[in-house]
Amino acid sequence: TCALPISIRRVTRLAPRIWTDLHERGGCYSGWQPSNFRGCPGFTDAEIREFFPDAIVEDPIDHRGWWRSRDRESDDQAIERAARVIDRLKRTFLGTSVRIACVMHADFKKLVTAQLFDRDHEPHLPSPYRNASISTIDFAPDARAMLVVENDVAHLDPSLRT
């Protein structure tokens, strides 16, 4: 769960910002089909700080964990959350010269890019994004998104590409 963010932290030396809306589609749950889905708590603030002592936890996370064992997120809720993440990114960073990296699962990246570029976002269709791929998006001053790089895995050894 934390291997990629730990690697990014080591290379960039930047303190990670924790946004609870930036997570895998569905939330934190166990089970592999609707009949056995069970909400799980997710990391607590203290557990996050074990991995990232300097983390900036921007959303409230308490002893119940970031997901608080809620039911699995529906597809409609995930689509709404993707819109919230896009809005927050624009409100926070648009008009600045700050470069950011969002670490997200492929299924959620599919929902975000679908909204940014007016693409089909049928949640039941497989994601076109490869594991650990990089996509680069620039925002124009008028908030228009421009796709610079998509689904790039050149940074991975060929044996790690899936």
Side-chain angles (χ1 to χ4, degrees), residues 60-161:
I61 301 173
D62 59 23
H63 67 281
R64 297 173 294 166
W66 67 268
W67 188 249
R68 297 184 179 128
S69 299
R70 293 176 286 183
D71 289 339
R72 185 180 187 278
E73 174 185 56
S74 71
D75 292 338
D76 288 342
Q77 290 169 322
I79 291 166
E80 290 172 16
R81 181 168 54 84
R84 282 196 313 269
V85 166
I86 292 166
D87 180 64
R88 186 172 180 180
L89 287 166
K90 288 179 179 180
R91 281 186 290 109
T92 306
F93 301 107
L94 191 64
T96 72
S97 60
V98 174
R99 294 177 60 165
I100 62 165
C102 297
V103 178
M104 64 181 79
H105 286 259
D107 284 342
F108 189 64
K109 185 193 295 190
K110 178 180 121 177
L111 297 179
V112 169
T113 57
Q115 291 187 39
L116 285 172
F117 303 109
D118 197 27
R119 295 177 177 169
D120 182 19
H121 62 272
E122 290 298 321
H124 64 280
L125 296 176
S127 173
Y129 292 103
R130 298 176 74 180
N131 287 330
S133 71
I134 295 174
S135 297
T136 303
I137 299 167
D138 284 345
F139 286 96
D142 65 0
R144 238 177 339 104
M146 299 170 291
L147 191 58
V148 179
V149 174
E150 185 171 37
N151 210 18
D152 183 17
V153 292
H155 60 286
L156 296 174
D157 184 273
S159 67
L160 298 174
R161 297 175 188 172

